[in-house]
Amino acid sequence: MKAFRPEVLALRAYSMEEPALPVKANQNESPWDWPKELKREALARLAATPFHRYPAFRGSRLASLLCERWELPEGSCLLGNGSNELLSALFSSCLCEGRTGLLPSPSFSLYRQLALLSRGDVREVPLSEDLTYDAESWLDALDRVRPAVALVCSPNNPTGSLLSLADLERLLDRAPGIVAVDEAYGEFSGIPSAATLLPGRENLVVLRTFSKAWGSAALRLGYALAQPRVTEQVSKALLPYNVSPLALALGEAALSRREFFEGRVRDLIRGRSELFEQIVGIEGLRAYPSAANFILVRLQNLEAADVHSALKSRGVLVRDVSAHPALRRCLRISVGTPSEDAAVVEALKEVVACPAPTSMP
Ligand code: PMP
């Protein structure tokens, strides 16, 4: 084990609980698979792909289509094997010993791991007590810490909180380095993407994914938008042919059905409001307003681990996020189909009204 870097040995590997239960509300996936006819069409595109050749080196058609969709110049879009790969490339192209990555807290746990693997120092900006972004503390931290990269997750996982574009502009004006905005859940927020600020903003990188609103987590397809001079630098930290031509072909098929997937996003947002209302109506629960496809719930008296396992025994899998000190007694619940949401509410009512005995210390 001596061969491994101390920071690697010190990390806990990212992992996921995966029991097959009737309601899977733990990973913020789309509750709907692609329609069969779209799968057929996508597979036809795939069949037209030559399998014996390497794919286009970088300038794939999908990247060009995304530049068009975002009205950005060619070269502004970098594709990744999931948006996480681009985040990793961004950190490894900017961070090193003596440089700092500034992260929100609580947020997506992978950020910290990737920043540490890049040998960067990590500093965190806490969310406010109500788990919203506090722009003033970010401005203050930018001045104090002078980070090479400041990463904002908006809407934030697991709180669902948003940083407004006006506040983001203040951060961009003040930041000494890159400001990256992870918009993995951006389509659910109802506000314009930070990508609309890209013309004229060389220090902005926006990360987006096909995994959530596009119902395509299995494809492993994400993208970064930035000015071409910036994508050129980040691309140096990516391996050649990082995105499979299989994902490219299927991603193009998804993109050709933008209106269909936008309709699903509207349905999900409607479901989110209904689920939120139902949860706040249950005594003993607090729900945080969310701009994403999940809702953070705080239990007033019960322990998250107990409720998590009681829900599991009722066929409902949610995410226990209570390990973070600011998220004590908190669970994160992905919005599902109306019938899945109804099952979640039913199970929550049962468990919270009639809790299992609290585990012994
Ligand atoms: N960013 C955030 C904030 C996420 O929660 C997730 C999914 N857990 C991702 C990125 C993952 O994106 P991808 O599947 O594109 O790698």
Side-chain angles (χ1 to χ4, degrees), residues 268-279 295 335:
L268 195 123
I269 291 173
R270 215 170 302 124
R272 178 180 74 202
S273 313
E274 282 162 21
L275 182 60
F276 184 85
E277 290 309 319
Q278 299 268 352
I279 292 175
I295 296 176
V335 181

Side-chain angles (χ1 to χ4, degrees), residues 14 82-84 108 111 153 157 182 184-185 209 211-212 220-221:
Y14 189 82
S83 60
N84 289 164
F108 186 32
Y111 299 149
C153 182
N157 176 10
D182 184 349
Y185 303 99
T209 181
S211 297
K212 312 293 177 184
R220 308 308 304 126
L221 189 59

